[in-house]
Amino acid sequence: MSQEQDANQPKPEDLEINETLDQASDAEVEAGEQPQVQSLEQAQIQALEEELAVANATISEQKDGVLRARADIENARRRAELEIDKARKFALEKFAGELLPVIDNLERAMQSANSEDEAIKPLLDGVDLTLKSFLSTIEKFGLEIVNPEGEQFNPDHHQAMSLQESTELPANTVMAVMQKGYLLNGRLLRPAMVMVSRAPSEGVDTQA
């Protein structure tokens, strides 16, 4: 009986062989599965990196779009402010132009009347007061008188009506103003009509 039991028990040599086979099997399993697990993790990391890159690109595009929209809104606001300011400054341009002949007539009345005549002196004083009050009022709305006598001729604001030789004044100097000019908020409403000096036997450069 004891001999049969001894025969059924594994021998030490067999145990060593089985252990060696088990170790070899585990090594094969590890060698076969570990690269597969690493490859799956790398694929997941790469996919996440690609998704992150796409998300960053989308955020960048949306940020650029917001900045462009903000810039467009700011430009539109500035243009609107400029148009409003321009309309406010020059809304009276046509009306002011219609008033200029009235000013001219009042000034002619003052120039042509005899200020030494006591009979009409009160009338002239009234016209003078009216003219000054009138000019003071329209100046509050940006109207500016162009009366360049003695100044250098400026073709942007002056219109040369005649030339006169002069040895006393430099060439291209305004000798006399035939009709005053006017600016409205810096914009020419009417040029001043002037007489311009010139050197003897020389022309005047009205474009200087």
Side-chain angles (χ1 to χ4, degrees), residues 18 39 50 57 69 72 78 85 134 155 157 165 184 192:
N18 290 337
S39 177
E50 292 176 354
D72 291 341
R78 289 177 181 175
D85 186 59
F134 192 65
H157 292 166
E165 292 184 0
L184 181 61

Side-chain angles (χ1 to χ4, degrees), residues 36-159:
Q36 183 177 0
V37 171
Q38 291 178 350
S39 177
L40 180 59
E41 291 178 351
Q42 291 175 352
Q44 291 176 343
I45 292 172
Q46 184 176 358
L48 290 174
E49 289 177 347
E50 292 176 354
E51 291 179 3
L52 179 60
V54 171
N56 288 334
T58 302
I59 292 172
S60 179
E61 291 178 359
Q62 292 177 346
K63 183 179 180 180
D64 291 342
V66 170
L67 292 176
R68 284 194 297 270
R70 183 179 296 175
D72 291 341
I73 292 173
E74 183 65 18
N75 290 334
R77 184 185 65 80
R78 289 177 181 175
R79 285 194 298 269
E81 289 179 351
L82 289 174
E83 291 298 325
I84 292 172
D85 186 59
K86 187 177 180 180
R88 180 182 61 80
K89 285 184 177 180
F90 304 112
L92 297 177
E93 185 172 4
K94 185 176 180 180
F95 177 69
E98 296 295 330
L99 294 178
L100 299 185
V102 178
I103 299 174
D104 294 338
N105 291 333
L106 291 173
E107 289 180 338
R108 290 191 189 100
M110 292 294 299
Q111 293 170 359
S112 61
N114 183 7
S115 59
E116 301 298 328
D117 190 345
E118 294 295 332
I120 63 171
K121 194 174 187 312
L123 178 62
L124 290 179
D125 290 341
V127 172
D128 184 50
L129 183 61
T130 301
L131 177 60
K132 289 179 180 178
S133 176
F134 192 65
L135 290 175
S136 176
T137 300
I138 60 178
E139 284 174 357
K140 293 178 182 178
F141 293 91
L143 197 66
E144 180 183 351
I145 300 173
V146 179
N147 188 20
E149 185 171 351
E151 300 177 3
Q152 185 75 11
F153 177 79
N154 179 2
D156 293 332
H157 292 166
H158 312 155
Q159 182 177 350

